[in-house]
Amino acid sequence: MTDFSNRTDKASLLIRASPEKIYDAFLDPDAIASWRPPSGMSCEIFEFDPREGGRYRMVFRYNDTQQGASGKTSMHEDEFTGKFKLLEPNQKIVEEVVFKSDDPAFAGNMIITTTLQQAPGGTQVNIVAEQVPAGISREDHYAGMMSSLKNLALYTEQEPDITV
């Protein structure tokens, strides 16, 4: 039995913010905790080393445990570790993600490549997830990636708070 999948999932969104602002939101743990968990989830970060070769460990928790959501790690949690494989400032982020799970359907190392391309009106953010574990349905994964992208848009499109 192999511990990886050949499946690739993709999501994309035009965000009205600069590539620099979006890139910075990937390297700030407070920002990550704010925008990365999909709708209906929260995030706790245990470790975060935002450099090429740096690692992170975090957990996404389902906010409404009454809705029957089932996590990968426990009934209401998805815990995972990651590694920044490549960081090209303001252009590309490649991460390797591993879920903590006893279920072999979530085994393997998922590779997530995010590219930032300047576009009219903002930045085109493209996510390509390779070797997606079989236990993650294509529909749920797409919905989760789009939710995170929309959260990223809300986070980065905010005007700075200017005090006088």
Side-chain angles (χ1 to χ4, degrees):
M1 178 169 122
T2 58
D3 65 346
F4 67 91
S5 159
N6 288 323
R7 193 176 98 214
T8 298
D9 294 342
K10 300 176 182 181
S12 182
L13 187 66
L14 178 66
I15 297 179
R16 292 184 316 260
S18 69
E20 294 81 9
K21 190 168 186 179
I22 294 168
Y23 183 82
D24 289 348
F26 273 85
L27 301 182
D28 176 342
D30 292 331
I32 288 283
S34 172
W35 70 261
R36 196 160 197 174
S39 178
M41 300 184 92
S42 61
C43 175
E44 182 178 357
I45 297 177
F46 303 106
E47 174 186 352
F48 196 80
D49 184 7
R51 62 181 173 85
E52 205 163 284
R55 299 187 178 277
Y56 56 83
R57 185 171 67 90
M58 62 184 83
V59 64
F60 289 172
R61 290 190 181 91
Y62 290 89
N63 297 335
D64 186 355
T65 58
Q66 304 302 313
Q67 291 297 318
S70 181
K72 297 167 191 66
T73 307
S74 68
M75 185 56 124
H76 304 294
E77 294 184 339
D78 294 344
E79 186 175 334
F80 55 97
T81 58
K83 179 180 180 181
F84 292 106
K85 307 269 297 166
L86 176 70
L87 293 172
E88 291 181 10
N90 312 320
Q91 295 178 33
K92 183 189 270 188
I93 300 156
V94 179
E95 302 168 78
E96 182 176 3
V97 174
V98 179
F99 291 103
K100 179 180 177 184
S101 180
D102 293 330
D103 186 340
F106 299 112
N109 298 2
M110 182 168 56
I111 306 299
I112 302 171
T113 302
T114 304
T115 57
L116 311 174
Q117 298 174 316
Q118 187 76 46
T123 302
Q124 188 68 41
V125 181
N126 301 300
I127 299 174
V128 177
E130 301 171 278
Q131 300 170 201
V132 178
I136 302 172
S137 79
R138 186 177 299 277
E139 297 77 19
D140 287 348
H141 198 212
Y142 178 76
M145 289 190 298
M146 286 306 299
S147 180
S148 293
L149 282 171
K150 289 175 184 174
N151 291 341
L152 177 61
L154 288 172
Y155 182 86
T156 58
E157 291 174 353
Q158 296 175 10
E159 292 298 318
D161 194 17
I162 300 172
T163 54
V164 223

